Amino acid sequence: VTLRTRLEHLDTRSTRWLTAPEPNAAGRMGLFRIIYALFYLWYLATNPVETMRGYRVLDFNSIKLVEVLPTFSPVSLRLIQAGLVAALVLLALGYHTRIATGAVLVLGVVLEAISASIDLEHSTVLLVAFIPLLMLVDGHWGDTYSVDALRARSRGDAVVSPRDPSGERFVGARAIFVVLALLFASAGISKLLPSSTWFSHPDLIASLILELNVENVIEGLPANPTAGPIAETQVVHQSMRLGVVVLELSFLAALFSVTLRQLVIASALVFHSFNALLLGISFTPILIAYAPFVDWQGLLDRALPRRSPRPAPKHAAALAPIALIAALVAASMWYANDALEDVLTVGGALEWRTIWYLVLPLALGWLLVQLVAIGKGVRRATAGPLGMDSPP
Amino acid sequence: MRPPEAAEARAPAALARERVLATKLIIGLFALGLCVVSNRSNLWPVVTWPMYHARTPEVPPPLVSVTHLRVTDEEGRQHLLRPEELVPEPRNQAAEELIEQSFSSTPDREEWREELVVLVERALGDEAVAEVAALERTWRVEPYATPPLDSSAPVREVVSGRFAAGARSGVGAAP
């Protein structure tokens, strides 16, 4: 078998994997677009652009992209963020979705690169760079639940059903999961390298939990009641040391099974929730990378089961100026005062840590559902044909 | 010669193939990029996640100290500010670094102080600031207890440096 044949085989298999049908793919991507835009607006509301104004002085990480960009004044930074807000509003409404996605990508990367030059650890590449880039290439998240779709219907173009399971509509989502898996794999592998202290430092997790607990209490966060008991119980903190690496590396394995993918995502959400709520460790923007793998369309159908297809609106053309006005108003408000930020963060109550109080019960429920489904699959497997899904 | 309707039907399929190919290219370049950048950050957004891989945490000692700010506004009122009030969590480490540099003997500390005052004034609701002092606060810690310390009751508070916010240059960092 030549190298060329092997590469062709890999190409065919990866195409089949990327384009495999997914239930409700069209509707899920449309709803994901709205959730993404709202989540991004919330993220911006929790990260005041004013704290970036001294980034040329606070340049702790030399980011090449920031070095090649001009120096932005505080007013320019506010204008860039207002522009990003306008693009996100247009994206949420699905008006000129591809242009809005491109604008979100460019403006978001500029702002986040500046943020990363100050604090690399808490910068987010999935939210600002890879999700919009992959969605720009994929080009399908504006096909449903959008002004674009309504205008296309009123023109008599073919209507995309939200329940369309075509795999082509889910390519972007699967690509997001590959990027996520590669990043998690890099985290797991970095802990296995000889230069890492993860397995060589004695009682690493115990000391880390105690150290973080003291830091958090000084910073005004709640104390972690499990810190002492975990640190004093060798079997627990040593298992956690191993468990973290297993979870990080399991993302790669999850590429080969939908069942494992859903299980790993549910486990990761529980893991992130406990990290945020008990240890004060948060990588909150990662939440959005899991969102495409929730069947939002299925949930909507369960919540509103008796919806009949609506006719195309008679005045679909009027939606365009409405969308533009909404974007302009939101951008102006963002630039002028903190009113919108206050709405999005519920007066500051919904921030990087407290959002996990909402996520944790849902993640636990999802994990339970996945475990029950796997249990049923195993029972079926022992009784007859294998019920589990097969690798691509 | 292909009938026109067949050509029309082919167009979306060809577009879909191109999109899949472009997606694969992005993933391939990203995977390659991860191998190239290793733990370096300068090629952001192509970065790895070496999270906590080189930390050397220790069980906290009986006494732990942290630097906060004691700010005097132009009305003479004093305010106690923590770094996370200048830059919200989880990015408060930037504020900690800013405070440390502002009270160090580094030659460009005036630049740091200028940024610190801007963030302080913002935290105080655009209140004009007269003086900023570094306050080293020490707590007695019982690491295995819940809570491990009483944050409202530091055992020691020492001003380790101060500067006048209005005329920053020439004002020393003397305690």
Side-chain angles (χ1 to χ4, degrees):
Chain A
V1 182
T2 63
L3 179 65
R4 187 182 168 156
T5 318
R6 279 177 189 277
L7 286 174
E8 280 173 357
H9 185 60
L10 181 68
D11 185 45
T12 310
R13 282 175 71 95
S14 59
T15 302
R16 206 183 307 152
W17 183 81
L18 279 168
T19 58
E22 185 82 18
N24 299 325
R28 282 168 74 166
M29 293 315 288
L31 292 169
F32 170 59
R33 188 197 75 247
I34 297 168
I35 291 163
Y36 169 84
L38 294 176
F39 183 85
Y40 203 149
L41 286 168
W42 170 81
Y43 172 73
L44 292 178
T46 61
N47 287 286
V49 75
E50 290 80 9
T51 59
M52 292 182 207
R53 46 152 282 153
Y55 72 96
R56 289 294 183 199
V57 177
L58 305 171
D59 183 23
F60 304 128
N61 310 286
S62 299
I63 308 286
K64 289 271 180 230
L65 185 59
V66 176
E67 287 169 14
V68 299
L69 288 170
T71 299
F72 295 110
S73 67
V75 172
S76 312
L77 287 173
R78 280 189 79 87
L79 283 171
I80 293 172
Q81 200 180 47
L84 179 55
V85 168
L88 285 166
V89 171
L90 292 177
L91 185 65
L93 297 171
Y95 178 62
H96 282 298
T97 308
R98 294 203 85 184
I99 296 172
T101 307
V104 166
L105 172 65
V106 172
L107 298 174
V109 163
V110 168
L111 273 187
E112 193 66 14
I114 290 170
S115 216
S117 71
I118 300 170
D119 182 353
L120 181 73
E121 189 175 291
H122 294 100
S123 73
T124 164
V125 294
L126 282 157
L127 175 73
V128 306
F130 290 105
I131 292 178
L133 175 63
L134 291 165
M135 291 301 142
L136 192 64
V137 171
D138 172 63
H140 284 300
W141 71 346
D143 290 352
T144 53
Y145 300 109
S146 65
V147 173
D148 288 348
L150 289 175
R151 292 170 83 214
R153 265 173 68 186
S154 71
R155 286 195 303 266
D157 293 353
V159 176
V160 177
S161 164
R163 284 155 209 90
D164 182 346
S166 308
E168 284 79 11
R169 302 190 175 281
F170 211 65
V171 170
R174 291 206 174 91
I176 291 169
F177 195 73
V178 178
V179 172
L180 190 65
L182 289 171
L183 286 168
F184 267 113
S186 77
I189 291 166
S190 73
K191 292 182 178 70
L192 298 174
L193 295 175
S195 57
S196 169
T197 56
W198 190 262
F199 286 108
S200 60
H201 186 286
D203 298 332
L204 179 128
I205 297 286
S207 305
L208 185 63
I209 286 180
L210 294 173
E211 198 180 86
L212 289 170
N213 195 28
V214 169
E215 278 176 23
N216 291 341
V217 172
I218 290 175
E219 288 172 10
L221 296 176
N224 172 9
T226 66
I230 289 176
E232 286 174 320
T233 316
Q234 191 82 2
V235 67
V236 174
H237 62 80
Q238 295 297 2
S239 308
M240 287 168 75
R241 170 148 50 183
L242 187 63
V244 170
V245 178
V246 168
L247 178 66
E248 287 171 342
L249 293 176
S250 67
F251 273 80
L252 278 183
L255 292 172
F256 298 94
S257 159
V258 176
T259 307
L260 190 56
R261 181 187 81 192
Q262 299 303 87
L263 180 68
V264 166
I265 290 175
S267 308
L269 284 170
V270 173
F271 171 70
H272 294 313
S273 302
F274 281 117
N275 278 347
L277 296 172
L278 293 179
L279 307 184
I281 298 172
S282 177
F283 298 97
T284 304
I286 202 175
L287 256 178
I288 199 64
Y290 301 123
F293 305 100
V294 177
D295 186 356
W296 302 106
Q297 183 60 45
L299 293 174
L300 189 65
D301 287 341
R302 277 189 206 176
L304 305 165
R306 271 182 260 163
R307 284 173 303 148
S308 53
R310 289 182 191 166
K314 286 176 187 167
H315 307 292
L319 293 172
I322 292 172
L324 285 171
I325 289 168
L328 271 174
V329 168
S332 310
M333 283 178 73
W334 206 281
Y335 186 83
N337 56 48
D338 294 338
L340 260 184
E341 286 97 315
D342 283 345
V343 171
L344 287 162
T345 60
V346 197
L350 191 66
E351 32 81 337
W352 68 274
R353 202 181 69 86
T354 50
I355 194 171
W356 294 100
Y357 282 119
L358 304 177
V359 175
L360 180 60
L362 299 173
L364 282 170
W366 195 13
L367 182 60
L368 192 66
V369 168
Q370 296 305 319
L371 289 172
V372 168
I374 289 172
K376 282 180 182 170
V378 170
R379 274 202 299 278
R380 272 203 303 274
T382 51
L386 192 66
M388 308 282 276
D389 52 328
S390 56
Chain B
M1 187 78 180
R2 200 182 287 270
E5 57 274 23
E8 275 175 25
R10 257 191 85 249
L15 185 64
R17 269 201 304 278
E18 281 168 18
R19 284 173 172 173
V20 170
L21 181 66
T23 302
K24 282 194 225 172
L25 269 175
I26 292 170
I27 293 172
L29 285 173
F30 178 65
L32 200 66
L34 287 186
C35 302
V36 173
V37 299
S38 184
N39 285 348
R40 291 191 303 274
S41 61
N42 54 1
L43 288 181
W44 188 97
V46 181
V47 284
T48 56
W49 280 353
M51 293 176 287
Y52 293 89
H53 83 296
R55 288 280 291 256
T56 51
E58 299 295 337
V59 175
L63 291 174
V64 170
S65 298
V66 168
T67 304
H68 289 171
L69 295 178
R70 182 179 282 163
V71 178
T72 310
D73 65 27
E74 289 197 334
E75 305 290 317
R77 290 173 300 215
Q78 289 200 329
H79 309 264
L80 185 67
L81 285 179
R82 292 174 297 154
E84 50 276 12
E85 291 172 86
L86 306 182
V87 179
E89 288 184 272
R91 297 186 167 178
N92 49 326
Q93 215 178 333
E96 287 169 18
E97 181 77 12
L98 179 58
I99 291 171
E100 195 185 317
Q101 294 294 337
S102 297
F103 291 95
S104 70
S105 51
T106 175
D108 53 358
R109 74 173 179 197
E110 289 311 315
E111 279 186 353
W112 295 88
R113 288 181 173 187
E114 216 167 294
E115 293 308 324
L116 183 63
V117 170
V118 170
L119 291 180
V120 164
E121 288 180 343
R122 184 180 170 273
L124 297 179
D126 293 328
E127 190 91 49
V129 169
E131 187 192 72
V132 180
L135 186 67
E136 196 180 301
R137 308 178 81 199
T138 304
W139 286 269
R140 194 172 302 284
V141 170
E142 290 177 52
Y144 293 90
T146 303
L149 59 99
D150 180 357
S151 61
S152 64
V155 292
R156 194 169 62 227
E157 289 187 328
V158 178
V159 174
S160 57
R162 55 162 58 93
F163 66 86
R168 280 180 297 284
S169 62
V171 179

